Amino acid sequence: MRLILLGPPGAGKGTQASGIINKYDIPHISTGDIFRKNIKEGTDLGKKAKEYMDKGLLVPDELVVDLVADRLTEDDTKKGFLLDGFPRTVAQANALDDELNKLGWSLDNVINIIVSKDDLIERAVGRRICKDCGATYHIKFNPSTIPGKCDVCDGELYQRDDDTKETVAKRIEVYENQTSPLIEYYDDKNILLNIDGAQDIDKVFNDVVVALRSNN
Ligand code: ADP
Ligand code: ADP
Ligand code: ZN
């Protein structure tokens, strides 16, 4: 299965990704996670990306496209993949199409998670992430058993630098201007699946599975 997860910041892409990759046994390719790893390791790419991420802006296409193209040539993508947070511009979507053509692959579906703006801000601002394993929690909607500690690995939970109210609002605006045209882009290709993300995490997941089943 070759899939894309589309949706505004805080919609629940990462949360749904963990269930999807488990069920369909495909690797999770999150450009946001790749950038955060580079920032943590202090690489040149991380330093460049951080300047944009802290402002809630998109990292320039040329820093993202080659990274994903390289990732797609790794062995584990032969069984499929789940792209999360990529593409985010029409230029990235075109570059992805070119890359997939070269590989002789096509996309199966684009899962578009829909959530209202007020909910997005509350979700992103309350988001907490495990420093060690990357598991995602929410202080109200999906709390860890012990506050500040990861249920999976006991690691410490932290809040992303860009999950402040102001930066999230900026990211939503950037999403509306630069990323939302992809909804039409993939709808025109008849591979878009719209999912109501304003439901419990399990219910959203169930809707994703049902939609994938009836379209493949
Ligand atoms: P969210 O899912 O909350 O929107 P991500 O973790 O996907 O957040 O992305 C965090 C930030 O990383 C974005 O605001 C942007 O600066 C950068 N980023 C991630 N993926 C891309 C991409 N495909 N193109 C440009 N910038 C990206
Ligand atoms: P994205 O990757 O789209 O930015 P996340 O998966 O990180 O979004 O989710 C953002 C925040 O919202 C996290 O704190 C997560 O625990 C929470 N969340 C995810 N899905 C739901 C849901 N269906 N209902 C309530 N909260 C959710
Ligand atoms: Zn953990």
Side-chain angles (χ1 to χ4, degrees), residues 29 31 54 61 108 115 123 134 157 165 170 186 192 213:
I29 304 178
T31 42
D54 282 349
D61 290 336
D108 292 299
V115 176
R123 284 188 188 184
L157 304 188
K165 204 173 165 200
K170 179 70 196 169
Y186 288 118
L192 191 78
R213 194 181 297 143

Side-chain angles (χ1 to χ4, degrees), residues 93-164:
N94 283 320
L96 176 63
D97 281 347
D98 290 347
E99 198 55 35
L100 292 174
N101 272 334
K102 269 190 233 163
L103 294 163
W105 290 346
S106 60
L107 292 166
D108 292 299
N109 285 113
V110 175
I111 301 161
N112 180 36
I113 306 184
I114 301 166
V115 176
S116 76
K117 191 169 170 175
D118 288 346
D119 285 351
L120 291 174
I121 294 185
E122 189 178 12
R123 284 188 188 184
V125 171
R127 168 162 49 195
R128 297 292 182 273
I129 297 173
C130 173
K131 191 166 80 9
D132 296 331
C133 76
T136 300
Y137 300 88
H138 189 282
I139 49 172
K140 184 163 146 197
F141 304 130
N142 186 22
S144 59
T145 311
I146 303 167
K149 280 222 178 269
C150 178
D151 289 348
V152 183
C153 76
D154 220 31
E156 192 189 315
L157 304 188
Y158 77 101
Q159 184 171 20
R160 273 167 49 177
D161 290 343
D162 58 349
D163 275 345
T164 61

Side-chain angles (χ1 to χ4, degrees), residues 1 3 5 13 15-26 82 111 113 205 208-209 212:
M1 196 93 82
L3 303 172
L5 263 174
K13 300 183 296 296
T15 301
Q16 295 303 325
S18 62
I20 296 169
I21 59 164
N22 243 321
K23 182 166 174 71
Y24 299 101
D25 189 27
I26 48 178
L82 176 66
I111 301 161
I113 306 184
F205 182 63
V208 170
V209 172
L212 286 173

